[in-house]
């Protein structure tokens, strides 16, 4: 279990979750073996049944079971009953929610890829973590040991790569004092040593740890080193995604594409805008997305795909777009594409399953994954309004 959780936390860092969220391991023993992992959007009773019947050791869901604090998980409550069933069956529950929304390869990215977007980037990029560059001068023979020590302390991670370092060689010179205890040379004598200049990046929060590791591994009594603060920027993570379609589509055709690639729900796909209007650039947010209308307008996209759009925010956005277009101060965009919450987040599951299997395989661990196809959207029917009705 600990290995699986470590992979999930590395791919979907809990620290990137929203402050109000509840993510991570909910039930389960980190020492418990994991052979089968079931992935689902919601931890409903039917999904728990599926996990138990399949013999899953771990249930990974997007939505939390215990989002709001509770004072009891007694089996007399519906959530407490699920907790008891999971524990009795030996099925752990792990949640990746808003930390999976923002991640590289997360919910938003999977939704963008499912509808065929290319040149994908975050809609609201997260600020990149503050980074340092550690530069240390070390005898050539000891350079590899210092690189290993820095890497073990957290330096040298670049995306999917670890122990990333750059080095070159030159000549270092120094003269020890009478009170020095030099590893190389003698007091009062100028020494010249073939040294490597080693450079590695590390998160600024690890600065003291990395420096301490360097000092412990370095052969010199007084190592020569620099710690340089790197300029900040935007990360590859963030809320939502924006991209473009390889070929323009009319809004109606784009809505049909969305309906074809997402799980079927009673809601289907709702459109707001000129059905013949051309769509090239698109913003997407899995789950409820009307709080991001300002960011969507600022991005200048033709259409916005999300879920749970409410009447007033959606109406005001479309009215504002029409007003600006009539005043010559913009276009009548974005068009709105509203889908069911569950449907907008489900495309992440197959990708998360594949990534989990491949990362564990690289560590020498094998698990079987299964993506639940149970429709956990709560709506069970939709009755169309009568065509003969009038207001």
């Amino acid at each position: 279990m600990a290995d699986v959780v470590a992979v999930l936390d590395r791919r979907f860092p809990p620290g990137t979750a929203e402050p109000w969220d509840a993510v991570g391991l909910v039930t389960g023993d980190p020492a418990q073996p994991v052979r089968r992992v079931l992935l689902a959007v919601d931890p409903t009773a039917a999904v728990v049944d599926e996990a138990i019947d399949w013999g899953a050791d771990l249930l990974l869901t997007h939505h939390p079971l215990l989002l709001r604090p509770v004072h009891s998980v007694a089996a007399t409550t519906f959530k407490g009953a699920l907790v008891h069933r999971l524990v009795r069956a030996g099925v752990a529950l792990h949640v990746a929610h808003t930390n999976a929304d923002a991640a590289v390869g997360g919910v938003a990215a999977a939704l963008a890829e499912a509808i065929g977007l290319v040149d994908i980037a975050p809609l609201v990029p997260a600020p990149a973590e503050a980074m340092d560059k550690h530069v240390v001068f070390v005898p050539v023979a000891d350079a590899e040991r210092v690189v290993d020590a820095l890497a073990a302390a957290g330096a040298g991670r670049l995306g999917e790569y670890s122990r990333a370092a750059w080095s070159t060689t030159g000549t270092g010179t120094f003269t020890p004092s009478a009170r020095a205890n030099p590893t190389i040379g003698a007091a009062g004598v100028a020494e010249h040593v073939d040294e490597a200049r080693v450079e590695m990046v590390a998160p600024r929060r690890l600065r003291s740890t990395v420096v301490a590791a360097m000092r412990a591994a370095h052969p010199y009594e007084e190592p020569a080193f620099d710690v340089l603060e790197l300029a900040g920027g935007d990360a590859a993570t963030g809320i939502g995604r924006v991209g473009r379609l390889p070929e323009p589509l009319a809004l109606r055709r784009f809505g049909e594409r969305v309906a074809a690639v997402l799980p079927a729900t009673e809601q289907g796909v709702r459109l707001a805008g000129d059905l013949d209007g051309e769509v090239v650039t698109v913003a997407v947010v899995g789950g409820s997305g009307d709080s991001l209308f300002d960011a969507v307008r600022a991005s200048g996209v033709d259409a916005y795909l999300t879920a749970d759009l409410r009447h007033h925010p959606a109406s005001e956005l479309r009215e504002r777009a029409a007003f600006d277009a009539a005043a010559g101060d913009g276009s009548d965009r974005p068009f709105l594409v509203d889908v069911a919450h569950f449907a907008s987040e489900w495309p992440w599951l197959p990708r998360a399953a594949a990534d989990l299997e491949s990362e564990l395989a690289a560590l020498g661990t094998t698990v079987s994954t299964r993506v639940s196809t149970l429709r956990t959207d709560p709506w069970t029917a939709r009755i169309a309004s009568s065509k003969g009705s009038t207001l």
Side-chain angles (χ1 to χ4, degrees), residues 61-293:
T61 65
H62 181 51
H63 291 147
L65 175 63
L66 305 173
L67 179 59
R68 295 178 177 82
V70 297
H71 68 275
S72 170
V73 289
T76 52
T77 66
F78 80 95
K79 290 189 176 183
L82 290 181
V83 170
H84 279 258
R85 291 185 60 211
L86 288 166
V87 172
R88 283 197 300 265
V91 180
L93 173 62
H94 189 93
V95 172
H97 192 208
T98 53
N99 51 326
D101 286 333
V104 173
V107 174
L111 178 58
E113 291 169 0
I115 62 173
L117 298 187
V118 296
D119 299 334
I120 299 169
L123 171 64
V124 182
E129 183 173 18
M131 300 291 287
D132 290 334
K133 179 189 284 187
H134 292 258
V135 181
V136 58
F137 300 88
V138 58
V140 172
D142 300 288
E144 288 297 305
R145 183 170 74 250
V146 170
V147 169
D148 287 339
L150 294 176
R157 290 192 175 276
L158 296 174
E160 298 299 321
Y161 296 87
S162 60
R163 200 181 177 277
W166 182 87
S167 66
T168 188
T169 57
T171 302
T173 183
F174 51 85
T175 301
S177 74
R179 293 189 300 274
N181 182 28
T183 303
I184 299 173
V189 179
E191 186 65 43
H192 295 79
V193 182
D194 290 334
E195 292 183 337
R197 173 190 171 108
V198 174
E199 299 185 12
M200 298 177 75
V201 297
R204 195 165 300 162
R205 58 184 166 79
L206 298 179
R207 179 182 293 178
S208 60
T209 301
V210 172
V211 170
M214 178 275 295
R215 288 186 177 277
H218 203 291
Y220 286 176
E221 183 179 28
E222 291 292 345
F225 67 95
D226 297 318
V227 178
L228 309 176
E229 294 189 353
L230 300 181
D234 291 333
T237 61
I239 300 173
R241 293 295 185 270
V242 294
R244 64 176 179 84
L245 296 168
E247 300 291 339
L249 290 176
L251 176 60
R252 184 194 305 275
R253 293 291 304 278
F254 177 63
E256 291 170 350
R257 171 181 290 191
V258 171
V261 300
L262 295 188
T265 62
E266 291 304 323
Q267 172 183 317
V269 177
R270 299 191 300 176
L271 304 175
D274 178 3
L275 296 182
D276 296 320
E278 184 177 88
V279 175
V280 177
T281 54
V282 180
V284 303
V285 169
S288 305
D290 58 20
S291 64
L292 292 162
F293 278 166

